[in-house]
Amino acid sequence: MISFLNLTQHQLWDIGGIDGLQVAQSLFWESVHRLAPFQSLETTLEGLPCSVLRLCEGNFRIAWNHHEQILKQKLQLAQLDQCVWVKQFSWLSSIALPDAIGMSYLLNLATPKPPHRLTGLPLHCAAPARIDGISVLIWRHLIAQQPAIELHLATHQIDMMVDRLKHQT
Amino acid sequence: MNLSPPIPKSVPSSYTDLPPPLGKVVAEYRISPGTAIVYLVQAGQYIQIIDVEGSQCSDFLAFVESDYSEEIDGTVTRTLNGLAMPQTGLLGKYFSQNMKPLLEVMQDTCGRHDSFLLACTAKYYEDAGYPGHPSCSENFNRVLQPYGIQRRSGWAAINFFFNTEVDCTGAIVSGEAWSRPGDYVLLRASQDLLCASSACPDEIDPVNGWNPTPIHVRIYDAAESFPKAIGRRATAESPVRLTRSSGFTARIQTLTDDLTEYNGFWVPNRFAHHGIQDEYWALRERAALMDLSALRKFDVTGTDAFNLLQTAFSRDVSKLAIGQSAYGCLLNLHGGIIDDGIVFRLTEQDYRYVGNFDSDEVWLNRIAQQFSFQVKIQSISHLLHNLALQGPRSRDILRPLVILDPGYAANTLDDLAYFRFATGTIAGIPALISRTGYTGELGYELFVHPDRGAELWDVLMQAGAPFGLLPMGMLALDRARIEAGLLAAGREFDDLTSPYQAGIGWAVALKKPSFIGKAALEQIKPHPPRVAVGLVLEGNEVASHGQCVHPVGENWRVGTITSATFSPILNRSIALAQIVPEYSAAGTLLEIGFMDGMKRRTRAIVGFLAAYDPTKSRVKA
């Protein structure tokens, strides 16, 4: 049976808007603008590791595994005078799987939305997909310095997904 | 549970008024004018709906065979595709109300259909003074009744060949169908379906050319494999030509599923696990490889080849040495740009024109005939496909692979100057190597026989790997060319736009004794109605084609945006625009109208047409 990674302190923060790229750049340096949608990078904020995923031209998602206040303060400062919103979505949750076994599970279970591909999905990349009709964003990146698969999905479907993955043989 | 009444019998294939079958036909039906039929299709089978005589609409319904309550939903289909009609390719599926794919468009030789309006209804005819007139909706009711499908006053059908358009006022206008005899739509069923097709009875307006005619439906075996393709005609007289693959497409398809039809070829938009920014930065910092085989190539030979090009092409061809090329345009009599392209001087007497359109051949032949030039114009587009290897490391990648033929000014790749070319080999593959490009970077365009395309792709990808080479799609290319101030047909120019308006006045050799369009251009040059400029926006919002440009604080316009993007390297929102000369001076502050042009204005400063490397130092490096 598959085991899930511990995401106790894990938070997802989203940035979106016309100035989303500029806000992300101010937080995570210039290299953010090299990301294409559904690519991510590992960086640090206040010396603490975090992952930044680009979702489109001006939209980014931050995976943060540390004290909430640290990131919150940085985000509040960065969005001053910028045309962006910064949110934590109550309806969005995540679960995570160890990389190798997680990927082998998902290759069998998940149907990526064309033209995205799961086969060969590199580290630091994501793809929208469906598993048994449930919409998931599959993100391959580092969690606690280790390669992992993070699945973002609707909070109300978490239990169903966990159940589905546990029963995958 | 669904009823199972008898299905109409397929007719024997005795018709002589149809294009040849595409494969193994398992059933076919002739729909008489003004009637409708139902037929069953199994998952994987193909439906070809053929307009037999042309200008005839055929409305179409599809229901899931196991549950007739699930059917094609036009609104869901439009929403999921982001298109008024599915188009062959990535966004080519028809969906049910449950968002399940029911059908996929495989081929379409017409390209003009309707998904907004009902199949014609009794009410439509009644309101027009024709009570009792047959209608597609009533015909559908009649043929669907045996299946227990409830009648509707109007069926929200997919109306193939029905020529409608939403105009700028929001009106849905219609007219005679664009379809010609034998035009067809080929669909692939994603599951078992009950389908209904009509041959529309409307003769009271132009939609069926005032004369309803038959429709023919063929069902092909699921074991067949038909390529996805869009049919296009190069000229009014040309036969339909289906979308082609280039010599590189097979390799590209291993790296992406995001292909789009461009100018008759399947080309990649972007590559899996990469994307616009990634590919763009590879181009600007390292190297990128792209398939530009959709360019058209014409060999111009004969004693008057020079005279023809000197007459038709905007540049002074007499200045070209063998092995040299020049960018310019083909012009019409009023100085409009028919096409932009490059003339290559191959030998003392022979030239090659590389442009965008098949119709260039017709135009050049017409000029040759008019001037009684002894010249042969031969399309060789099918014999030469081309990759562009662009970026600051492109020379380093090519250098160890290239051997140039003797007889050119350049002996080695390092000697090959900007807008020079030579034949030779790349890793043993015969090629024409041209130091040209469309990206604003040092780069090469490599022309090879399509049979050697896959081999060349592999060689370059392998040789480029240590340099960080990436394949690049059209989305990143468009961003790069806008930064570099390079024109795109249909954006920066068309046949009503002069080179002076498009920003390539430098490519007009007005000192030539005569050439087509010269008289008009002499008049236009001193004061073109608009001139091309680059704009740098104050905010990060990206403008779009067609948006209006205003003086600061004014409602009236001074120009329009032709192309726009966010420049990653400049970290600014930029645009190409065509502006009246009075407001085109560098440094002029203008406003771009977003939304309705009034709700939000963003300021922009007039600058160089090429926001990136305006001195062209990189391409000449």
Side-chain angles (χ1 to χ4, degrees):
Chain A
M1 188 182 285
I2 194 164
S3 58
F4 295 89
L5 300 180
N6 181 3
L7 295 179
T8 310
Q9 243 200 141
H10 199 71
Q11 304 144 58
L12 299 177
W13 289 81
D14 279 71
I15 302 170
I18 292 170
D19 298 327
L21 172 62
Q22 287 65 35
V23 170
Q25 278 178 311
S26 73
L27 287 165
F28 306 112
W29 307 96
E30 289 292 304
S31 49
V32 166
H33 75 167
R34 293 171 175 273
L35 297 175
F38 298 97
Q39 287 187 323
S40 65
L41 57 77
E42 304 302 321
T43 184
T44 57
L45 200 64
E46 298 288 301
L48 299 167
C50 65
S51 307
V52 183
L53 171 66
R54 190 172 199 172
L55 290 172
C56 68
E57 278 292 317
N59 292 19
F60 294 83
R61 181 166 296 159
I62 304 161
W64 177 253
N65 211 15
H66 313 282
H67 198 281
E68 180 182 322
Q69 268 317 108
I70 300 169
L71 178 61
K72 208 171 175 178
Q73 278 175 3
K74 295 291 286 184
L75 287 170
Q76 275 168 353
L77 275 175
Q79 71 180 112
L80 282 177
D81 301 323
Q82 300 284 350
C83 185
V84 292
W85 48 255
V86 176
K87 294 180 183 182
Q88 271 188 303
F89 296 123
S90 60
W91 38 260
L92 183 72
S93 297
S94 63
I95 52 176
L97 309 167
D99 186 55
I101 191 166
M103 210 57 219
S104 66
Y105 266 49
L106 293 173
L107 282 171
N108 290 326
L109 282 178
T111 306
K113 177 179 167 49
H116 293 276
R117 293 176 175 187
L118 287 181
T119 306
L121 185 76
L123 197 61
H124 314 304
C125 277
R130 282 186 181 272
I131 297 173
D132 288 351
I134 298 173
S135 173
V136 290
L137 181 72
I138 299 170
W139 182 14
R140 212 168 161 212
H141 71 114
L142 300 185
I143 296 177
Q145 319 297 323
Q146 294 298 313
I149 305 290
E150 184 169 350
L151 302 182
H152 295 177
L153 66 165
T155 304
H156 71 92
Q157 290 177 317
I158 283 281
D159 292 344
M160 214 184 317
M161 181 59 63
V162 168
D163 199 45
R164 179 69 188 85
L165 291 172
K166 277 182 177 168
H167 289 93
Q168 167 71 10
T169 53
Chain B
M1 187 170 160
N2 292 326
L3 301 172
S4 303
I7 292 294
K9 282 187 180 165
S10 79
V11 293
S13 185
S14 58
Y15 292 94
T16 56
D17 54 0
L18 296 170
L22 303 171
K24 185 185 170 190
V25 177
V26 296
E28 60 182 323
Y29 311 98
R30 176 61 60 114
I31 309 173
S32 301
T35 68
I37 63 163
V38 288
Y39 47 98
L40 284 175
V41 181
Q42 293 168 6
Q45 288 183 332
Y46 299 83
I47 308 163
Q48 187 186 24
I49 299 169
I50 308 168
D51 182 354
V52 180
E53 296 183 27
S55 300
Q56 173 62 41
C57 305
S58 179
D59 302 342
F60 177 79
L61 304 171
F63 305 85
V64 174
E65 210 272 334
S66 59
D67 176 9
Y68 294 157
S69 70
E70 185 160 12
E71 61 187 293
I72 288 181
D73 187 306
T75 308
V76 172
T77 298
R78 287 191 298 272
T79 305
L80 295 189
N81 289 312
L83 293 168
M85 288 287 292
Q87 292 171 1
T88 308
L90 190 60
L91 303 170
K93 293 193 175 80
Y94 284 96
F95 294 91
S96 72
Q97 67 269 41
N98 298 325
M99 299 191 178
K100 288 188 181 148
L102 300 189
L103 292 144
E104 182 170 13
V105 188
M106 300 301 293
Q107 295 182 5
D108 180 359
T109 68
C110 175
R112 183 72 151 194
H113 313 283
D114 169 79
S115 73
F116 282 95
L117 301 181
L118 296 171
C120 67
T121 61
K123 183 170 174 16
Y124 169 70
Y125 296 105
E126 288 162 9
D127 292 350
Y130 298 88
H133 192 291
S135 69
C136 286
S137 287
E138 291 304 327
N139 286 339
F140 282 146
N141 284 332
R142 192 171 305 114
V143 297
L144 292 171
Q145 188 272 333
Y147 297 86
I149 296 174
Q150 277 209 313
R151 74 179 310 282
R152 297 179 194 174
S153 299
W155 281 94
I158 305 304
N159 304 312
F160 289 119
F161 311 122
F162 184 18
N163 167 22
T164 65
E165 182 181 29
V166 182
D167 73 12
C168 59
T169 69
I172 301 175
V173 294
S174 66
E176 181 175 331
W178 290 8
S179 48
R180 301 187 189 196
D183 270 345
Y184 66 85
V185 177
L186 181 71
L187 308 163
R188 184 175 179 274
S190 304
Q191 45 191 304
D192 293 352
L193 298 171
L194 176 74
C195 300
S197 284
S198 75
C200 177
D202 186 353
E203 79 279 76
I204 70 165
D205 58 38
V207 298
N208 296 316
W210 303 96
N211 178 34
T213 52
I215 288 290
H216 200 89
V217 176
R218 286 181 177 138
I219 311 298
Y220 294 104
D221 196 294
E224 292 287 352
S225 178
F226 300 120
K228 290 182 184 176
I230 294 169
R232 299 210 189 274
R233 290 178 174 85
T235 66
E237 297 78 26
S238 305
V240 163
R241 187 152 193 197
L242 296 178
T243 316
R244 284 151 279 174
S245 291
S246 78
F248 317 106
T249 309
R251 287 294 188 270
I252 288 168
Q253 284 174 316
T254 65
L255 302 171
T256 179
D257 296 314
D258 192 354
L259 273 77
T260 188
E261 190 265 359
Y262 170 74
N263 202 18
F265 280 78
W266 288 116
V267 297
N269 267 328
R270 60 191 157 179
F271 286 83
H273 315 317
H274 291 288
I276 307 176
Q277 284 81 359
D278 212 12
E279 297 161 24
Y280 166 90
W281 282 109
L283 167 73
R284 288 282 180 248
E285 295 180 340
R286 306 182 306 273
L289 187 63
M290 62 214 86
D291 179 4
L292 297 183
S293 301
L295 292 172
R296 302 301 199 262
K297 298 97 185 174
F298 307 96
D299 274 357
V300 184
T301 57
T303 52
D304 284 327
F306 165 78
N307 290 326
L308 172 64
L309 290 170
Q310 197 71 330
T311 304
F313 194 60
S314 65
R315 298 291 293 275
D316 188 350
V317 182
S318 71
K319 291 185 175 170
L320 291 182
I322 295 169
Q324 190 177 6
S325 61
Y327 170 83
C329 50
L330 302 179
L331 297 158
N332 57 29
L333 287 166
H334 60 74
I337 302 174
I338 289 175
D339 190 14
D340 70 341
I342 295 178
V343 167
F344 295 75
R345 186 170 188 186
L346 302 175
T347 67
E348 279 297 328
Q349 191 174 286
D350 300 331
Y351 296 83
R352 178 169 297 156
Y353 174 71
V354 177
N356 296 293
F357 306 119
D358 289 315
S359 54
D360 292 343
E361 182 183 5
V362 177
W363 176 243
L364 290 172
N365 268 314
R366 189 173 300 166
I367 299 168
Q369 199 173 13
Q370 187 186 335
F371 287 85
S372 301
F373 287 143
Q374 297 302 305
V375 66
K376 185 178 174 189
I377 300 141
Q378 188 180 11
S379 170
I380 54 158
S381 302
H382 60 296
L383 298 175
L384 279 183
H385 289 175
N386 53 300
L387 289 175
L389 178 66
Q390 305 273 301
R393 303 307 300 272
S394 56
R395 186 187 286 134
D396 300 327
I397 294 168
L398 268 186
R399 187 181 292 117
L401 304 172
V402 165
I403 299 171
L404 299 183
D405 291 338
Y408 292 95
N411 293 317
T412 67
L413 192 71
D414 288 280
D415 299 334
L416 195 65
Y418 190 41
F419 273 93
R420 296 281 177 159
F421 67 92
T423 57
T425 58
I426 304 169
I429 302 164
L432 185 146
I433 299 145
S434 169
R435 199 174 145 192
T436 44
Y438 188 57
T439 60
E441 293 293 343
L442 167 70
Y444 301 86
E445 292 182 292
L446 314 169
F447 297 81
V448 294
H449 192 282
D451 289 350
R452 308 297 295 271
E455 201 181 334
L456 179 64
W457 178 273
D458 291 344
V459 162
L460 294 173
M461 288 295 285
Q462 193 177 350
F467 295 90
L469 172 77
L470 283 185
M472 188 167 111
M474 297 300 276
L475 298 175
L477 176 62
D478 197 49
R479 194 166 284 212
R481 72 97 193 159
I482 293 169
E483 283 182 339
L486 301 171
L487 316 189
R491 295 276 171 175
E492 276 71 39
F493 72 84
D494 59 20
D495 49 12
L496 294 174
T497 313
S498 78
Y500 295 109
Q501 176 168 335
I504 53 167
W506 58 266
V508 180
L510 268 185
K511 289 180 181 167
K512 281 199 293 187
S514 70
F515 62 93
I516 288 174
K518 180 179 177 180
L521 290 177
E522 282 174 332
Q523 300 295 313
I524 294 169
K525 185 184 177 186
H527 194 91
R530 296 189 206 176
V531 295
V533 299
L535 296 176
V536 179
L537 281 67
E538 280 192 354
N540 295 313
E541 199 165 11
V542 176
S544 58
H545 176 79
Q547 280 181 330
C548 298
V549 183
H550 307 261
V552 174
E554 298 290 356
N555 278 328
W556 39 276
R557 297 171 298 165
V558 293
T560 53
I561 301 294
T562 56
S563 297
T565 192
F566 189 85
S567 165
I569 202 158
L570 303 172
N571 201 19
R572 298 297 297 267
S573 176
I574 60 168
L576 304 179
Q578 292 182 1
I579 306 285
V580 295
E582 291 79 0
Y583 287 83
S584 64
T588 305
L589 193 61
L590 298 170
E591 285 182 349
I592 298 169
F594 282 78
M595 278 85 73
D596 60 358
M598 296 182 285
K599 184 178 173 188
R600 184 161 64 244
R601 293 279 182 89
T602 295
R603 292 193 174 186
I605 296 172
V606 175
F608 292 111
L609 190 60
Y612 173 69
D613 189 25
T615 62
K616 305 287 178 195
S617 63
R618 295 180 73 88
V619 292
K620 294 174 184 168

